[in-house]
Amino acid sequence: MPNEWKAMEHNSYNSLKDDQSFISMEALAGLLLMGASVLAMVAANSPLNEYYQGILQLPFSVQLGEYGIAKPLLLWINDGLMAVFFFMVGLELKRELLEGQLSKPANILLPALGAIGGMLVPAAIYAAINWQNPIALKGWAIPAATDIAFALGILALLGPRVPLSLKIFLSSLAIIDDIGAILIIAFFYTAKISATALIIAAVCLVILYAVNKSGVESKSIYLSIGLVMWVALLKSGVHATLAGVLLAYCWPSLFP
């Protein structure tokens, strides 16, 4: 019996260490986000602004034969790194949908209503104020965007002092809000949609789903197909961050 107690004590100690490590990583991510935000604001409102804007507009291209992607660094951040961010958020949301607090459909209602209300109400207020100005009225969707990344960063900074239910609520709201923003851009602010690129992205999604159902667990396969889907969405005119959410949905396990 003493040996069993020692084993249980050892396992509890290791579990506590893992939890503490995870909390430390969350807090570090929050600190990095807040620190980077402060540095960006200082740079943008100081004589360093010229260099700051120059870095954001720095051209960066990836070329493969006659095909390639050439965009300024700012768009690589918005379309590339944000896709990775929403992939991670999507994985957490998937875990909650399968076995967590969102496994019951009724629990999804609140974050869905929160996301929809968070887009409609600010847009309606903006439209009411600028109703007589046709040019300004075209910006009605700007206040509809919600920067959930900062809210999640603050929650990560606070660590275990924030209830898990609040983190889940914000993560769910982030996904729904992002999908709403993608639909707004696609239907109201995209001059031209590439049907070919959308078909390629849809084929990639079908392949990912089929690979998942076949029981394939090789992460490299999912990442390769997901990369093609991301490029297709980027070329389609639809916001490429959607690729991160779709890839998370088809990921073979609950955790990356």
Side-chain angles (χ1 to χ4, degrees):
M1 187 67 69
N3 291 333
E4 293 180 3
W5 290 342
K6 288 182 180 179
M8 291 174 61
E9 184 179 357
H10 180 72
N11 291 335
S12 299
Y13 176 73
N14 287 337
S15 176
L16 179 60
K17 285 180 63 179
D18 291 340
D19 290 341
Q20 289 175 338
S21 299
F22 179 74
I23 292 169
S24 298
M25 290 176 63
E26 275 198 311
L28 178 60
L31 285 172
L32 289 175
L33 179 61
M34 295 301 110
S37 301
V38 171
L39 288 176
M41 287 190 290
V42 170
N45 295 278
S46 71
L48 296 173
N49 180 53
E50 181 180 351
Y51 303 101
Y52 176 67
Q53 295 299 330
I55 292 174
L56 291 180
Q57 299 304 320
L58 188 68
F60 186 82
S61 62
V62 176
Q63 193 80 21
L64 183 62
E66 59 183 57
Y67 301 101
I69 303 173
K71 290 182 175 292
L73 183 60
L74 176 62
L75 292 183
W76 281 101
I77 295 171
N78 290 341
D79 293 328
L81 293 182
M82 285 303 292
V84 176
F85 170 77
F86 275 101
F87 169 67
M88 301 303 296
V89 172
L91 284 177
E92 178 64 22
L93 184 59
K94 178 181 178 181
R95 184 180 69 84
E96 292 300 327
L97 285 169
L98 290 178
E99 60 177 27
Q101 297 189 29
L102 296 179
S103 56
K104 297 180 180 179
N107 293 343
I108 305 176
L109 183 62
L110 182 60
L113 291 176
I116 295 171
M119 290 185 287
L120 290 180
V121 174
I125 294 173
Y126 179 93
I129 294 173
N130 296 282
W131 192 255
Q132 302 299 326
N133 189 335
I135 297 177
L137 189 59
K138 294 179 180 180
W140 63 268
I142 296 174
T146 305
D147 204 334
I148 298 297
F150 282 95
L152 292 176
I154 293 172
L155 291 186
L157 189 62
L158 295 175
R161 289 182 290 274
V162 177
L164 179 61
S165 57
L166 179 57
K167 293 183 180 180
I168 295 169
F169 171 79
L170 270 181
S171 298
S172 307
L173 191 147
I175 294 290
I176 299 170
D177 180 86
D178 192 54
I179 293 174
I182 290 168
L183 292 176
I184 289 174
I185 293 171
F187 286 106
F188 298 100
Y189 290 92
T190 300
K192 185 178 179 181
I193 293 286
S194 173
T196 302
L198 280 178
I199 291 173
I200 294 173
V203 170
C204 289
L205 180 60
V206 172
I207 293 173
L208 282 169
Y209 183 79
V211 169
N212 179 284
K213 287 298 182 180
S214 299
V216 177
E217 296 186 359
S218 174
K219 305 300 189 294
S220 58
I221 294 177
Y222 290 90
L223 289 175
S224 300
I225 301 172
L227 180 61
V228 175
M229 181 171 62
W230 176 81
V231 173
L233 285 174
L234 188 66
K235 294 292 187 180
S236 71
V238 177
H239 208 291
T241 52
L242 181 60
V245 179
L246 296 176
L247 180 59
Y249 171 77
C250 298
W251 200 251
S253 61
L254 298 180
F255 303 103

